[in-house]
């Protein structure tokens, strides 16, 4: 990793008034969270259409719930890593800072980040398929088909499955942050899932400086001003002035 690129980015960060960061599964990989599309990715072992679509839930809610219960158990003991913590520290140093994450694991909040837009929801929140109520629920011993305390209807994970639209208010907040920023970091995402994949390009179109941090190049790398190849847990902390 050329130290010169890191220095350019540190300098840009220092100059920027409005910073947006978009994160994906790669930022949580070093905490032990499986990614979706890597060699050990979830979608290599399981078919997304069987587990992460509204049709799958309608067809076999018990199977979909088994998948999410297993993932909740897997996530429960995991801790934020140095990349999550560095972003929380960066938020304190920037006049305006918005963290947009595709991750549903809740690790950014656990690391201390405050202004977080969760594009794809949160696995620790459950939503009623009847009355629509959303509640935090961290139990690891949920019944196989959990029911709403208010209306008795089936609960589902409050996450966004393929073919579902993102919450319009959440998406609007993400677009507004991206349109206003002067620097955007895109960290640990394959850039394959829309509409998140277009956010970096949108920032670029609006005149922002956009840098990517990833283990490998992505379909968007050439569109960005910088593409830093390496582990988020190594590179993101090195963006902080204290690491100079
Ligand atoms: C590291 C690292 C380390 C590893 N350090 N880096 C326009 C065109 C074509 C299709 C569509 C379109 N608009 C919508 C669609 C359909 C669909 C879509 O995009 N499909 C594509 C796959 C083609 N999108 C949707 O359905 C979305 N809805 C929508 O747009 O509604 C309107 C609409 C509907 C239907 C048709 C048209 C319009 C909803 C998307 C919901 C995504 N849901 C999931 C599951 C969430 C719940 C759960 O977890 O169970 O969200 S899928 C999964 O992918 C999850 C992630 O948030 C998302 C993105 O994955 P991410 O984060 O990028 O992870 P990976 O694994 O792909 O990549 C990890 C990266 O990290 C890699 O690059 C590694 O190299 C890197 N890495 N370790 C740094 N240590
Ligand atoms: Zn209900």
């Amino acid at each position: 990793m050329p130290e010169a690129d890191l220095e350019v980015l540190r300098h840009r960060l220092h100059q920027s008034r409005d910073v947006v960061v978009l994160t994906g599964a790669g930022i949580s990989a070093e905490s032990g969270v499986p990614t979706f599309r890597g060699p050990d990715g979830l979608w290599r072992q399981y078919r997304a259409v069987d587990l992460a679509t509204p049709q799958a839930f309608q067809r076999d809610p018990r199977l979909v719930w088994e998948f999410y219960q297993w993932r909740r158990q897997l996530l429960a003991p995991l801790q934020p890593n140095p990349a999550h913590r560095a972003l929380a520290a960066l938020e304190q140093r920037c006049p305006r800072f918005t963290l947009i994450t595709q991750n549903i694991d809740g690790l950014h909040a656990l690391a201390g980040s405050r202004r977080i837009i969760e594009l794809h929801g949160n696995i620790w929140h459950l939503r009623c398929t009847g009355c629509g109520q959303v509640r935090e629920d961290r139990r690891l011993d949920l019944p196989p088909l959990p029911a709403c305390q208010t209306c008795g209807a089936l609960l589902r994970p409050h996450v966004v499955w393929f073919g579902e639209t993102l919450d319009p208010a959440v998406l609007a907040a993400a677009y507004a942050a991206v349109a206003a920023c002067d620097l955007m970091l895109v960290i640990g995402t394959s850039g394959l899932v829309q509409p998140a994949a277009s956010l970096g390009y949108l920032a670029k179109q609006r005149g922002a400086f956009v840098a990517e941090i990833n283990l490998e190049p992505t379909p968007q790398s050439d569109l960005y001003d910088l593409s830093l190849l390496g582990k988020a847990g190594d590179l993101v902390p090195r963006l902080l002035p204290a690491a100079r």
Side-chain angles (χ1 to χ4, degrees):
M1 164 53 42
E3 178 59 30
D5 282 352
L6 273 173
E7 184 55 34
V8 168
L9 197 46
R10 276 194 292 260
H11 182 64
R12 286 274 176 175
L13 268 170
H14 185 66
Q15 285 181 324
S16 299
R17 292 204 53 74
D18 195 325
V19 174
V20 167
V21 179
L22 171 69
T23 63
I27 199 167
S28 293
E30 290 162 71
S31 292
V33 181
T35 61
F36 293 93
R37 296 169 187 83
D40 302 320
L42 284 175
W43 298 157
R44 289 281 169 99
Q45 302 166 58
Y46 308 97
R47 277 158 40 95
V49 285
D50 292 338
L51 297 163
T53 62
Q55 294 79 8
F57 191 64
Q58 221 166 15
R59 196 169 48 238
D60 194 346
R62 200 175 277 264
L63 175 73
V64 173
W65 257 122
E66 245 174 55
F67 176 62
Y68 280 92
Q69 309 264 42
W70 167 69
R71 286 178 58 204
R72 281 161 66 99
Q73 278 158 11
L74 190 89
L75 285 172
L78 302 185
Q79 292 299 315
N81 65 53
H84 295 107
R85 288 196 290 272
L87 291 181
L90 205 56
E91 180 172 2
Q92 300 302 317
R93 294 166 186 267
C94 294
R96 269 185 67 81
F97 184 95
T98 308
L99 178 56
I100 304 172
T101 188
Q102 298 169 80
N103 299 344
I104 60 168
D105 54 34
L107 289 177
H108 283 301
L110 211 54
S113 285
R114 288 290 162 261
R115 274 177 72 95
I116 309 172
I117 297 177
E118 291 179 319
L119 278 184
H120 294 161
N122 187 310
I123 200 168
W124 302 110
H125 293 172
L126 307 187
R127 183 165 87 240
C128 177
T129 57
C131 67
Q133 197 173 71
V134 179
R135 278 184 186 219
E136 181 171 350
D137 188 333
R138 292 188 166 261
R139 282 178 297 161
L140 297 179
D141 58 349
L142 288 169
L145 291 173
C148 176
Q149 287 172 11
T150 310
C151 76
L154 181 63
L155 293 171
R156 58 164 281 180
H158 184 47
V159 299
V160 183
W161 286 322
F162 282 116
E164 292 187 309
T165 51
L166 280 66
D167 180 325
V170 169
L171 189 56
Y175 280 137
V178 165
C181 75
D182 39 45
L183 186 145
M184 181 163 173
L185 299 175
V186 180
I187 305 173
T189 176
S190 58
L192 295 173
V193 174
Q194 297 293 352
S198 302
L199 292 175
Y201 182 57
L202 190 67
K204 188 76 199 120
Q205 281 182 317
R206 300 294 292 245
F209 185 91
V210 182
E212 173 183 65
I213 293 179
N214 200 304
L215 282 183
E216 56 190 27
T218 71
Q220 286 84 21
S221 299
D222 290 342
L223 303 173
Y224 298 151
D225 296 287
L226 274 183
S227 174
L228 278 67
L229 299 184
K231 287 187 172 185
D234 170 33
L235 295 179
V236 182
R238 287 162 69 191
L239 296 176
L240 292 171
R244 278 178 181 205

